[in-house]
Amino acid sequence: MLTGLALSALIATTAPATGNAAPAPDRAEPRLIALVDLAAQRLLLADEVAAAKYGTDSPIEDPAREREVLDTVAELSTEAGLDPADGVRFFRDQIEAGKDVQRGLFAEWDAHPELRPGHRPDLGAEVRPELDRISAEAVRELRETEVVREPTDECRLDLAASAVTAVFGHRLDALHRDALTAAAGKICG
């Protein structure tokens, strides 16, 4: 699993060289970057899910919806030529990480009412269609990256670089960084 320490180590090793050290060799763009970015996008949508649920009777845990998502992912995986078990495994991590974000936001909003969202998005009309789009794209990326998602150092380095790109590109705070670690940490086997 990718850890915050691994991200910190990667950032430290990719810092610009000083003195007369030879420049680092050019690295190819990480192959997992699109998949990790989709995981980050999905986590950012967890904010909208939390805003829709906060202060209502809608619980964070929604086993029926989770089953629906996983059944859809299994179907999309089969259509894409991906082992449905791989798709479902990846999305279980996405769902759990999304719930972690929701719990974190609920706690923050309980402690700081002034930070509570002013808008309650419509889950069915606004949020779920975007989650479904991301899910379909992520299944395609899982299929496209199948050959590189092995438990190797190369994959782990690619994953770490992709995570750093997503963290900085989306300006993820600590809650979302931790959730991304959980959502993407098992990508390499």
Side-chain angles (χ1 to χ4, degrees):
M1 177 180 250
L2 182 66
T3 65
L5 184 57
L7 287 176
S8 298
L10 178 68
I11 292 168
T13 61
T14 58
T18 57
N20 295 327
D26 288 336
R27 296 186 194 269
E29 182 169 319
R31 294 168 286 183
L32 298 172
I33 200 161
L35 182 59
V36 174
D37 189 72
L38 289 165
Q41 289 177 45
R42 198 170 198 288
L43 290 171
L44 291 170
L45 279 173
D47 293 21
E48 297 296 310
V49 174
K53 291 180 178 182
Y54 188 77
T56 71
D57 292 337
S58 297
I60 290 172
E61 298 280 337
D62 187 350
R65 174 64 181 157
E66 292 172 25
R67 173 64 8 220
E68 183 181 320
V69 169
L70 294 175
D71 288 347
T72 299
V73 164
E75 190 175 304
L76 289 170
S77 296
T78 299
E79 291 170 5
L82 177 70
D83 181 350
D86 288 345
V88 168
R89 191 171 22 260
F90 176 79
F91 275 88
R92 274 197 184 109
D93 291 342
Q94 305 313 296
I95 290 167
E96 290 305 315
K99 290 188 293 189
D100 289 345
V101 169
Q102 291 177 59
R103 285 185 203 98
L105 290 173
F106 275 31
E108 181 177 335
W109 297 337
D110 286 345
H112 301 282
E114 70 279 8
L115 299 176
R116 292 177 182 163
H119 168 69
R120 186 179 312 280
D122 183 316
L123 278 177
E126 296 175 49
V127 182
R128 286 187 177 145
E130 189 63 15
L131 286 169
D132 292 343
R133 178 195 64 77
I134 290 170
S135 295
E137 286 184 35
V139 167
R140 284 191 296 274
E141 281 301 317
L142 282 168
R143 174 64 182 106
E144 290 295 319
T145 59
E146 196 168 24
V147 298
V148 299
R149 291 185 295 105
E150 297 295 327
T152 64
D153 288 344
E154 183 178 355
C155 183
R156 286 186 282 276
L157 182 59
D158 191 321
L159 177 57
S162 298
V164 168
T165 300
V167 165
F168 286 107
H170 291 286
R171 297 181 179 161
L172 300 182
D173 60 14
L175 174 64
H176 292 82
R177 282 192 309 266
D178 291 346
L180 183 63
T181 297
K186 297 177 191 169
I187 285 176
C188 295

